[in-house]
Amino acid sequence: MQGSSDKSDKTFSVYTRPTSAIAPKAQDATKLYFDSESEKLFYNGNEVESVSLSEGLQSFMNWLQPMSPVVLAAHNARSFDSNRLVRSIEAQSITGFQDTVVGFVDT
């Protein structure tokens, strides 16, 4: 996950370990590969520091909350990113999302 804010000069960036295999087309598009045996994530062939999905989402919420209310913008937000983010937040029982994020915009 990555983010930046027009309210401050703060940015957010974290790699989260996937909870399932990364599809070959997604690997090609993102240059990310996850070795499930070692639980290591690689970007463009280089290992990157990563955290669990729960930890990454909680860190993202901690970064967003002081800027509340926020609108999140993303490529393909409507058809992909917003749905995936909301489902992940719900599955990980992360609280405060609906109080912090008031909407999404597709770029």
Side-chain angles (χ1 to χ4, degrees):
M1 288 179 279
Q2 294 180 324
S4 62
S5 168
D6 67 354
K7 291 185 179 182
S8 71
D9 60 354
K10 295 180 182 179
T11 60
F12 178 86
S13 182
V14 67
Y15 287 101
T16 58
R17 290 184 293 276
T19 56
S20 61
I22 301 174
K25 284 186 179 181
Q27 286 184 35
D28 291 342
T30 63
K31 309 242 186 297
L32 289 171
Y33 169 75
F34 181 64
D35 182 339
S36 58
E37 287 185 26
S38 66
E39 293 196 359
K40 293 182 179 180
L41 186 65
F42 297 84
Y43 173 72
N44 212 18
N46 299 308
E47 184 181 351
V48 293
E49 188 175 331
S50 61
V51 299
S52 69
L53 179 60
S54 179
E55 184 179 342
L57 290 171
Q58 189 60 61
S59 294
F60 186 55
M61 284 302 303
N62 293 343
W63 178 75
L64 286 175
Q65 285 174 328
M67 298 178 279
S68 181
V70 299
V71 174
L72 298 178
H75 299 299
N76 299 318
R78 186 172 192 190
S79 63
F80 182 77
D81 291 330
S82 61
N83 295 329
R84 177 156 283 202
L85 178 61
V86 169
R87 280 195 309 264
S88 295
I89 294 249
E90 289 172 349
Q92 298 298 317
S93 301
I94 305 295
T95 59
F97 184 77
Q98 291 179 337
D99 296 327
T100 303
V101 177
V102 296
F104 292 91
V105 63
D106 202 331
T107 56

